[in-house]
Each structure stands twice: as structure tokens, then as C-alpha cells.
Amino acid sequence: MRFRILLAAMASLPYVYAVFRLFLMEKKRQEPLPEEVADVFTKERWNTFVAYKKELKAPFLLSQLLAFLVDLFVILSPFYAWMEHLANGNPYGTVAITAVVLMAVSFLVGLPVSYYRIFTIETKYGLNHRTRQKFFKDEITEFVTGTVLNTALYLLLAFILLHLPVWTNQFQIPLYKAVLILSLIH
């Protein structure tokens, strides 16, 4: 359980960093228009940019929070045991099912936020040039392509890791080094 708590704390770091970074950017945008860019940005254009970025804050924080909550659920629940059960213990099936489920959940959680950002905020500022049909087509194409490519990559990695002991004549890596290597990969 301590390891899960440690993982949950580590999963919170990107959210905390995003909030901190957003706070710093907002603070910087409250300063007057810098002279270096005054010839590029008019006062009105700068104010429009600041207002646009301010409206993007809520959808961004919501998407970050939802991603963090999904990560917490995965870490604190027996999610991986469920995926292994669905695959009947087959390691390749477990990897494939886990990858597809996680990407599908991420897609479904992010879709409403992305839709709101594009068709409410970007439309308000004249930055949206896509129709709803094109939006959904692009999102679904990106999801399917990303899922197939990522799942293939994860399966290749699983294949390598499962066969590595045989290829290296039973060479073993201590657990703490394996955790360090995985943290570097992620």
C-alpha cells in the first residue's frame, strides 16, 4: 500500500506543476505589454490574447484534474488485476487490453473538454475553422491511429522484456534498478 501511495503522490506532481505554471503565466500576463513586442502586438490584440488565455484556464485545469483522477483510480484500484483477468493471464493480452482501455478512457475524458474548448472558446475568438463533423472525424482518427501504434509499441516492449532473460542467459536486474529504469522510460 505504501508503494501505491508513493505512486499516487508522484502522479499528482504533473497536476501540481501545471497549476503552478499556469499561476506564473497569469501573473506575467498581468504586467503591461513589453516594449519588445509592442510593434507586433497592439494593445487591443494583447488584451484579446490575455482574455483568450484566461478563458482557456478552466478547460485546461479540468482536463488535468480528470487525467489525475483517472491515474489515481488506476493506481489505487485493482485495475491491473482486472485487465489480467480479462486476458486470462496472457501477458500480451494483458498489455493490449490495458493499453486500449487506458487510451479509450483518456479519449472519452478529454473529448468533452476539447469540444468545449474548440466550439465555445475558440469560436468566440474566431480561431475555430472546423465543423463538428470534421472535429469528430479528426478526434476518432487520432484515437484509433494512436491506439494501434501505441499498443503495437507496448506489445513489442512486452515481447522484449519477456524474452530478455533468455536472450541474456538469465541476467537479472534488481528490483530497485528496474524501477529506476521504468521511471526513466515513462
mmCIF file with all atom_site columns, all heavy atoms in Angstrom, residues 141-156:
data_model
loop_
_atom_site.group_PDB
_atom_site.id
_atom_site.type_symbol
_atom_site.label_atom_id
_atom_site.label_alt_id
_atom_site.label_comp_id
_atom_site.label_asym_id
_atom_site.label_entity_id
_atom_site.label_seq_id
_atom_site.pdbx_PDB_ins_code
_atom_site.Cartn_x
_atom_site.Cartn_y
_atom_site.Cartn_z
_atom_site.occupancy
_atom_site.B_iso_or_equiv
_atom_site.pdbx_formal_charge
_atom_site.auth_seq_id
_atom_site.auth_comp_id
_atom_site.auth_asym_id
_atom_site.auth_atom_id
_atom_site.pdbx_PDB_model_num
ATOM 1   N N   . THR A 1 141 ? -10.072 9.556  -35.671 1.00 0.00 ? 141 THR A N   1
ATOM 2   C CA  . THR A 1 141 ? -8.910  9.089  -36.439 1.00 0.00 ? 141 THR A CA  1
ATOM 3   C C   . THR A 1 141 ? -7.649  9.123  -35.586 1.00 0.00 ? 141 THR A C   1
ATOM 4   O O   . THR A 1 141 ? -6.863  8.172  -35.582 1.00 0.00 ? 141 THR A O   1
ATOM 5   C CB  . THR A 1 141 ? -8.719  9.958  -37.702 1.00 0.00 ? 141 THR A CB  1
ATOM 6   O OG1 . THR A 1 141 ? -9.912  9.907  -38.476 1.00 0.00 ? 141 THR A OG1 1
ATOM 7   C CG2 . THR A 1 141 ? -7.540  9.477  -38.527 1.00 0.00 ? 141 THR A CG2 1
ATOM 8   N N   . GLU A 1 142 ? -7.462  10.211 -34.862 1.00 0.00 ? 142 GLU A N   1
ATOM 9   C CA  . GLU A 1 142 ? -6.290  10.333 -33.990 1.00 0.00 ? 142 GLU A CA  1
ATOM 10  C C   . GLU A 1 142 ? -6.313  9.270  -32.890 1.00 0.00 ? 142 GLU A C   1
ATOM 11  O O   . GLU A 1 142 ? -5.288  8.663  -32.579 1.00 0.00 ? 142 GLU A O   1
ATOM 12  C CB  . GLU A 1 142 ? -6.253  11.726 -33.365 1.00 0.00 ? 142 GLU A CB  1
ATOM 13  C CG  . GLU A 1 142 ? -5.048  11.972 -32.503 1.00 0.00 ? 142 GLU A CG  1
ATOM 14  C CD  . GLU A 1 142 ? -5.052  13.377 -31.921 1.00 0.00 ? 142 GLU A CD  1
ATOM 15  O OE1 . GLU A 1 142 ? -5.612  14.299 -32.553 1.00 0.00 ? 142 GLU A OE1 1
ATOM 16  O OE2 . GLU A 1 142 ? -4.500  13.544 -30.826 1.00 0.00 ? 142 GLU A OE2 1
ATOM 17  N N   . PHE A 1 143 ? -7.489  9.010  -32.315 1.00 0.00 ? 143 PHE A N   1
ATOM 18  C CA  . PHE A 1 143 ? -7.607  7.995  -31.272 1.00 0.00 ? 143 PHE A CA  1
ATOM 19  C C   . PHE A 1 143 ? -7.273  6.610  -31.809 1.00 0.00 ? 143 PHE A C   1
ATOM 20  O O   . PHE A 1 143 ? -6.483  5.870  -31.221 1.00 0.00 ? 143 PHE A O   1
ATOM 21  C CB  . PHE A 1 143 ? -9.017  8.004  -30.676 1.00 0.00 ? 143 PHE A CB  1
ATOM 22  C CG  . PHE A 1 143 ? -9.320  6.787  -29.856 1.00 0.00 ? 143 PHE A CG  1
ATOM 23  C CD1 . PHE A 1 143 ? -8.699  6.567  -28.638 1.00 0.00 ? 143 PHE A CD1 1
ATOM 24  C CD2 . PHE A 1 143 ? -10.223 5.840  -30.314 1.00 0.00 ? 143 PHE A CD2 1
ATOM 25  C CE1 . PHE A 1 143 ? -8.962  5.437  -27.882 1.00 0.00 ? 143 PHE A CE1 1
ATOM 26  C CE2 . PHE A 1 143 ? -10.492 4.701  -29.576 1.00 0.00 ? 143 PHE A CE2 1
ATOM 27  C CZ  . PHE A 1 143 ? -9.864  4.504  -28.355 1.00 0.00 ? 143 PHE A CZ  1
ATOM 28  N N   . VAL A 1 144 ? -7.854  6.240  -32.941 1.00 0.00 ? 144 VAL A N   1
ATOM 29  C CA  . VAL A 1 144 ? -7.626  4.904  -33.500 1.00 0.00 ? 144 VAL A CA  1
ATOM 30  C C   . VAL A 1 144 ? -6.161  4.738  -33.894 1.00 0.00 ? 144 VAL A C   1
ATOM 31  O O   . VAL A 1 144 ? -5.527  3.732  -33.553 1.00 0.00 ? 144 VAL A O   1
ATOM 32  C CB  . VAL A 1 144 ? -8.564  4.646  -34.702 1.00 0.00 ? 144 VAL A CB  1
ATOM 33  C CG1 . VAL A 1 144 ? -8.177  3.387  -35.439 1.00 0.00 ? 144 VAL A CG1 1
ATOM 34  C CG2 . VAL A 1 144 ? -10.015 4.557  -34.233 1.00 0.00 ? 144 VAL A CG2 1
ATOM 35  N N   . THR A 1 145 ? -5.613  5.718  -34.595 1.00 0.00 ? 145 THR A N   1
ATOM 36  C CA  . THR A 1 145 ? -4.210  5.635  -35.009 1.00 0.00 ? 145 THR A CA  1
ATOM 37  C C   . THR A 1 145 ? -3.284  5.556  -33.801 1.00 0.00 ? 145 THR A C   1
ATOM 38  O O   . THR A 1 145 ? -2.385  4.713  -33.749 1.00 0.00 ? 145 THR A O   1
ATOM 39  C CB  . THR A 1 145 ? -3.837  6.857  -35.873 1.00 0.00 ? 145 THR A CB  1
ATOM 40  O OG1 . THR A 1 145 ? -4.752  6.944  -36.962 1.00 0.00 ? 145 THR A OG1 1
ATOM 41  C CG2 . THR A 1 145 ? -2.425  6.749  -36.399 1.00 0.00 ? 145 THR A CG2 1
ATOM 42  N N   . GLY A 1 146 ? -3.490  6.428  -32.839 1.00 0.00 ? 146 GLY A N   1
ATOM 43  C CA  . GLY A 1 146 ? -2.664  6.428  -31.634 1.00 0.00 ? 146 GLY A CA  1
ATOM 44  C C   . GLY A 1 146 ? -2.778  5.140  -30.851 1.00 0.00 ? 146 GLY A C   1
ATOM 45  O O   . GLY A 1 146 ? -1.774  4.612  -30.344 1.00 0.00 ? 146 GLY A O   1
ATOM 46  N N   . THR A 1 147 ? -3.993  4.614  -30.745 1.00 0.00 ? 147 THR A N   1
ATOM 47  C CA  . THR A 1 147 ? -4.201  3.373  -30.003 1.00 0.00 ? 147 THR A CA  1
ATOM 48  C C   . THR A 1 147 ? -3.491  2.208  -30.682 1.00 0.00 ? 147 THR A C   1
ATOM 49  O O   . THR A 1 147 ? -2.818  1.409  -30.024 1.00 0.00 ? 147 THR A O   1
ATOM 50  C CB  . THR A 1 147 ? -5.710  3.081  -29.861 1.00 0.00 ? 147 THR A CB  1
ATOM 51  O OG1 . THR A 1 147 ? -6.322  4.184  -29.172 1.00 0.00 ? 147 THR A OG1 1
ATOM 52  C CG2 . THR A 1 147 ? -5.961  1.810  -29.095 1.00 0.00 ? 147 THR A CG2 1
ATOM 53  N N   . VAL A 1 148 ? -3.624  2.099  -31.986 1.00 0.00 ? 148 VAL A N   1
ATOM 54  C CA  . VAL A 1 148 ? -2.977  0.999  -32.710 1.00 0.00 ? 148 VAL A CA  1
ATOM 55  C C   . VAL A 1 148 ? -1.453  1.098  -32.593 1.00 0.00 ? 148 VAL A C   1
ATOM 56  O O   . VAL A 1 148 ? -0.781  0.109  -32.267 1.00 0.00 ? 148 VAL A O   1
ATOM 57  C CB  . VAL A 1 148 ? -3.418  0.986  -34.194 1.00 0.00 ? 148 VAL A CB  1
ATOM 58  C CG1 . VAL A 1 148 ? -2.561  0.052  -35.019 1.00 0.00 ? 148 VAL A CG1 1
ATOM 59  C CG2 . VAL A 1 148 ? -4.889  0.599  -34.301 1.00 0.00 ? 148 VAL A CG2 1
ATOM 60  N N   . LEU A 1 149 ? -0.914  2.284  -32.833 1.00 0.00 ? 149 LEU A N   1
ATOM 61  C CA  . LEU A 1 149 ? 0.541   2.442  -32.786 1.00 0.00 ? 149 LEU A CA  1
ATOM 62  C C   . LEU A 1 149 ? 1.094   2.250  -31.372 1.00 0.00 ? 149 LEU A C   1
ATOM 63  O O   . LEU A 1 149 ? 2.107   1.564  -31.184 1.00 0.00 ? 149 LEU A O   1
ATOM 64  C CB  . LEU A 1 149 ? 0.948   3.811  -33.336 1.00 0.00 ? 149 LEU A CB  1
ATOM 65  C CG  . LEU A 1 149 ? 0.712   4.017  -34.824 1.00 0.00 ? 149 LEU A CG  1
ATOM 66  C CD1 . LEU A 1 149 ? 1.042   5.438  -35.246 1.00 0.00 ? 149 LEU A CD1 1
ATOM 67  C CD2 . LEU A 1 149 ? 1.516   3.017  -35.639 1.00 0.00 ? 149 LEU A CD2 1
ATOM 68  N N   . ASN A 1 150 ? 0.449   2.833  -30.387 1.00 0.00 ? 150 ASN A N   1
ATOM 69  C CA  . ASN A 1 150 ? 0.917   2.678  -29.004 1.00 0.00 ? 150 ASN A CA  1
ATOM 70  C C   . ASN A 1 150 ? 0.797   1.243  -28.525 1.00 0.00 ? 150 ASN A C   1
ATOM 71  O O   . ASN A 1 150 ? 1.692   0.727  -27.843 1.00 0.00 ? 150 ASN A O   1
ATOM 72  C CB  . ASN A 1 150 ? 0.170   3.617  -28.063 1.00 0.00 ? 150 ASN A CB  1
ATOM 73  C CG  . ASN A 1 150 ? 0.663   5.037  -28.161 1.00 0.00 ? 150 ASN A CG  1
ATOM 74  O OD1 . ASN A 1 150 ? 1.850   5.280  -28.341 1.00 0.00 ? 150 ASN A OD1 1
ATOM 75  N ND2 . ASN A 1 150 ? -0.245  5.983  -28.059 1.00 0.00 ? 150 ASN A ND2 1
ATOM 76  N N   . THR A 1 151 ? -0.295  0.591  -28.856 1.00 0.00 ? 151 THR A N   1
ATOM 77  C CA  . THR A 1 151 ? -0.469  -0.805 -28.446 1.00 0.00 ? 151 THR A CA  1
ATOM 78  C C   . THR A 1 151 ? 0.604   -1.680 -29.091 1.00 0.00 ? 151 THR A C   1
ATOM 79  O O   . THR A 1 151 ? 1.176   -2.558 -28.434 1.00 0.00 ? 151 THR A O   1
ATOM 80  C CB  . THR A 1 151 ? -1.881  -1.304 -28.806 1.00 0.00 ? 151 THR A CB  1
ATOM 81  O OG1 . THR A 1 151 ? -2.845  -0.455 -28.169 1.00 0.00 ? 151 THR A OG1 1
ATOM 82  C CG2 . THR A 1 151 ? -2.098  -2.726 -28.332 1.00 0.00 ? 151 THR A CG2 1
ATOM 83  N N   . ALA A 1 152 ? 0.890   -1.444 -30.354 1.00 0.00 ? 152 ALA A N   1
ATOM 84  C CA  . ALA A 1 152 ? 1.953   -2.208 -31.024 1.00 0.00 ? 152 ALA A CA  1
ATOM 85  C C   . ALA A 1 152 ? 3.296   -1.965 -30.343 1.00 0.00 ? 152 ALA A C   1
ATOM 86  O O   . ALA A 1 152 ? 4.073   -2.910 -30.126 1.00 0.00 ? 152 ALA A O   1
ATOM 87  C CB  . ALA A 1 152 ? 2.027   -1.830 -32.498 1.00 0.00 ? 152 ALA A CB  1
ATOM 88  N N   . LEU A 1 153 ? 3.573   -0.741 -29.988 1.00 0.00 ? 153 LEU A N   1
ATOM 89  C CA  . LEU A 1 153 ? 4.825   -0.423 -29.300 1.00 0.00 ? 153 LEU A CA  1
ATOM 90  C C   . LEU A 1 153 ? 4.886   -1.103 -27.926 1.00 0.00 ? 153 LEU A C   1
ATOM 91  O O   . LEU A 1 153 ? 5.914   -1.678 -27.556 1.00 0.00 ? 153 LEU A O   1
ATOM 92  C CB  . LEU A 1 153 ? 4.973   1.086  -29.145 1.00 0.00 ? 153 LEU A CB  1
ATOM 93  C CG  . LEU A 1 153 ? 6.239   1.569  -28.467 1.00 0.00 ? 153 LEU A CG  1
ATOM 94  C CD1 . LEU A 1 153 ? 7.461   1.218  -29.296 1.00 0.00 ? 153 LEU A CD1 1
ATOM 95  C CD2 . LEU A 1 153 ? 6.163   3.066  -28.246 1.00 0.00 ? 153 LEU A CD2 1
ATOM 96  N N   . TYR A 1 154 ? 3.794   -1.062 -27.180 1.00 0.00 ? 154 TYR A N   1
ATOM 97  C CA  . TYR A 1 154 ? 3.757   -1.720 -25.870 1.00 0.00 ? 154 TYR A CA  1
ATOM 98  C C   . TYR A 1 154 ? 3.912   -3.233 -26.002 1.00 0.00 ? 154 TYR A C   1
ATOM 99  O O   . TYR A 1 154 ? 4.568   -3.863 -25.176 1.00 0.00 ? 154 TYR A O   1
ATOM 100 C CB  . TYR A 1 154 ? 2.469   -1.389 -25.121 1.00 0.00 ? 154 TYR A CB  1
ATOM 101 C CG  . TYR A 1 154 ? 2.337   0.068  -24.742 1.00 0.00 ? 154 TYR A CG  1
ATOM 102 C CD1 . TYR A 1 154 ? 1.096   0.689  -24.737 1.00 0.00 ? 154 TYR A CD1 1
ATOM 103 C CD2 . TYR A 1 154 ? 3.449   0.843  -24.406 1.00 0.00 ? 154 TYR A CD2 1
ATOM 104 C CE1 . TYR A 1 154 ? 0.962   2.017  -24.391 1.00 0.00 ? 154 TYR A CE1 1
ATOM 105 C CE2 . TYR A 1 154 ? 3.318   2.176  -24.067 1.00 0.00 ? 154 TYR A CE2 1
ATOM 106 C CZ  . TYR A 1 154 ? 2.074   2.754  -24.049 1.00 0.00 ? 154 TYR A CZ  1
ATOM 107 O OH  . TYR A 1 154 ? 1.940   4.072  -23.714 1.00 0.00 ? 154 TYR A OH  1
ATOM 108 N N   . LEU A 1 155 ? 3.306   -3.811 -27.034 1.00 0.00 ? 155 LEU A N   1
ATOM 109 C CA  . LEU A 1 155 ? 3.454   -5.252 -27.245 1.00 0.00 ? 155 LEU A CA  1
ATOM 110 C C   . LEU A 1 155 ? 4.891   -5.617 -27.597 1.00 0.00 ? 155 LEU A C   1
ATOM 111 O O   . LEU A 1 155 ? 5.409   -6.637 -27.137 1.00 0.00 ? 155 LEU A O   1
ATOM 112 C CB  . LEU A 1 155 ? 2.482   -5.734 -28.333 1.00 0.00 ? 155 LEU A CB  1
ATOM 113 C CG  . LEU A 1 155 ? 1.020   -5.805 -27.909 1.00 0.00 ? 155 LEU A CG  1
ATOM 114 C CD1 . LEU A 1 155 ? 0.130   -6.059 -29.117 1.00 0.00 ? 155 LEU A CD1 1
ATOM 115 C CD2 . LEU A 1 155 ? 0.807   -6.863 -26.852 1.00 0.00 ? 155 LEU A CD2 1
ATOM 116 N N   . LEU A 1 156 ? 5.531   -4.794 -28.399 1.00 0.00 ? 156 LEU A N   1
ATOM 117 C CA  . LEU A 1 156 ? 6.942   -5.026 -28.713 1.00 0.00 ? 156 LEU A CA  1
ATOM 118 C C   . LEU A 1 156 ? 7.796   -4.936 -27.451 1.00 0.00 ? 156 LEU A C   1
ATOM 119 O O   . LEU A 1 156 ? 8.667   -5.783 -27.217 1.00 0.00 ? 156 LEU A O   1
ATOM 120 C CB  . LEU A 1 156 ? 7.423   -4.016 -29.757 1.00 0.00 ? 156 LEU A CB  1
ATOM 121 C CG  . LEU A 1 156 ? 8.913   -4.081 -30.109 1.00 0.00 ? 156 LEU A CG  1
ATOM 122 C CD1 . LEU A 1 156 ? 9.262   -5.426 -30.751 1.00 0.00 ? 156 LEU A CD1 1
ATOM 123 C CD2 . LEU A 1 156 ? 9.268   -2.926 -31.021 1.00 0.00 ? 156 LEU A CD2 1
#
